[in-house]
Structure formats: C-alpha cells, structure tokens
Amino acid sequence: GQQLNQSPQSMFIQEGEDVSMNCTSSSIFNTWLWYKQDPGEGPVLLIALYKAGELTSNGRLTAQFGITRKDSFLNISASIPSDVGIYFCAGQLGGAGTALIFGKGTTLSVSS
Amino acid sequence: NAGVTQTPKFRVLKTGQSMTLLCAQDMNHEYMYWYRQDPGMGLRLIHYSVGEGTTAKGEVPDGYNVSRLKKQNFLLGLESAAPSQTSVYFCASGRTNEKLFFGSGTQLSVL
C-alpha cells in the first residue's frame, strides 16, 4: 500500500530548542495533516493543510504543504516539556471517502 | 463533553476467544474508523465507515469484523483472537474524513 516516510523516527532535545520533522511520499497528496499523541491518549489534530505551498501556524507550531505535494514539514519553536509525545503526519490521496494514510510517527523527548 | 468513547480500556484474552470493542461518538459524525497502533508501525487502518449501515476494509482487515448499525456506534469484533492481535486499538470519528477525533484507546493483550 501507499507509504508515508516520516523522519526522524525519534528526537531528544533540550527545552527551548527548535524542532523540525518531515514526511515524504512517492505519491501526490491532496491534503496533509499533523497530529500529536500524548502518552496514553489518542492523537489530536494540530494542523491541516490543503494547498501546495501553504504555510499554517498554530501557536509555536508551523507546518507547510510541500510545493511538489509529495511532502510536508512541521516545525516547533522554543520547545517546552509538554511538547513530549508522538507526532504523526497523515495524508489524503483522493477526495471525500478516501481514508487517511498515517506515517509511523516521530517521538519527541524534551529535557528541561 | 464525551467526544469519542471506547470500551473497554483494557482487556486480556486467551487465544481463540472472541470479543467486541465498542466505539461511541456523540458528535453526529458520519465517518468512523478503527486503527491499531503497534510499536514502530504507526497507525494502521483496520476498517472504516462513511455512514450508518456502511463499512469498508482498510489496510489490515484480516481477523476483524465491524458493524455500524447506528450512526453513533462502530463495533470492532475479533471472532477468534490471536497473539498477533495484541495491540492498542483506537477508534476515530469525523464530520469529514480528514479532521478526526480519536478515543483514548483500548489496550488488548492476547495470550
């Protein structure tokens, strides 16, 4: 099946550092989304992107829909301990009724 | 606000036993999904539904069955549990098939 390659697999950073992660595919996606999963909980939607080149922010988080429509990026500025968790990218290949495809996640650890 | 509620939260089964996981949402969403999460594998789609009375297979449907008899409920059944089905199961729902709301998960162990 279709695959989203998410990297890095894990990150260990100091509080206050900026973080970058990305998601790539060999297929063209119509929609890119980023979710965060806190330990012991289900994922929660952070940002949704709908157009190539789109740049969207949610507080300290900024995500971009790649120009080629085959990739997306998520940046977190000035990380804090509550940023700890697993970040998933997700993409939609087709239109309504097409299920999301999820990446394998980036596990973020923040030390204070 | 309940959102998406999954029951049970934990369960231990013996190989060959059957069980049903219940997902209930109170947001009047059309779309509902069942995912499983395994270490290093991310979220893999088992089955999904685009409306009451409809179901469709996802990426890893073998060994599972689903039903959506009522719009607010999506049931996931394991007829004969196997150790390979040990996982954390997440239900999700959405008004569209993009912005999903997830439950808090069911941790299932099959011995």
Side-chain angles (χ1 to χ4, degrees):
Chain A
Q2 298 293 339
Q3 278 195 328
L4 292 181
N5 301 309
Q6 193 170 347
S7 65
Q9 186 175 359
S10 61
M11 303 182 73
F12 298 86
I13 63 170
Q14 294 275 352
E15 182 177 0
E17 290 184 11
D18 296 343
V19 173
S20 292
M21 58 190 78
N22 67 79
C23 205
T24 62
S25 175
S26 58
S27 300
I28 292 175
F29 282 82
N30 292 325
T31 305
W32 284 98
L33 304 103
W34 286 91
Y35 286 81
K36 182 197 176 192
Q37 183 180 28
D38 288 328
E41 298 294 329
V44 173
L45 179 65
L46 298 173
I47 294 176
L49 303 159
Y50 299 99
K51 294 182 181 180
E54 180 181 354
L55 190 69
T56 299
S57 294
N58 178 5
R60 292 178 296 105
L61 279 62
T62 301
Q64 184 167 21
F65 193 137
I67 292 293
T68 65
R69 295 172 62 193
K70 294 182 179 181
D71 54 12
S72 180
F73 307 88
L74 177 69
N75 294 316
I76 305 172
S77 62
S79 59
I80 58 178
S82 62
D83 289 334
V84 164
I86 304 176
Y87 291 80
F88 291 102
C89 64
Q92 185 184 40
L93 285 170
T98 307
L100 291 178
I101 299 170
F102 280 83
K104 294 184 178 181
T106 294
T107 300
L108 179 64
S109 301
V110 180
S111 59
S112 54
Chain B
N1 295 332
V4 178
T5 303
Q6 292 183 230
T7 53
K9 293 189 183 303
F10 303 94
R11 186 74 185 268
V12 179
L13 291 179
K14 294 181 180 179
T15 298
Q17 286 185 318
S18 63
M19 79 162 294
T20 300
L21 280 67
L22 171 63
C23 178
Q25 53 95 2
D26 61 1
M27 296 172 282
N28 201 35
H29 287 162
E30 291 291 339
Y31 296 86
M32 295 189 75
Y33 303 83
W34 277 107
Y35 290 90
R36 60 177 291 173
Q37 183 177 24
D38 302 292
M41 299 296 291
L43 294 164
R44 293 185 293 169
L45 182 63
I46 305 171
H47 286 281
Y48 64 102
S49 169
V50 300
E52 180 179 321
T54 74
T55 62
K57 294 181 180 180
E59 180 186 356
V60 288
D62 293 343
Y64 305 95
N65 57 75
V66 288
S67 65
R68 182 107 182 261
L69 298 179
K70 292 183 178 181
K71 187 176 184 178
Q72 64 267 34
N73 296 335
F74 195 28
L75 278 63
L76 178 70
L78 286 73
E79 291 185 348
S80 179
S84 61
Q85 293 177 305
T86 293
S87 187
V88 181
Y89 291 85
F90 286 99
C91 175
S93 73
R95 186 177 58 83
T96 69
N97 61 334
E98 305 160 348
K99 297 181 179 180
L100 304 185
F101 293 80
F102 283 81
S104 57
T106 295
Q107 191 168 330
L108 176 66
S109 295
V110 182
L111 306 177

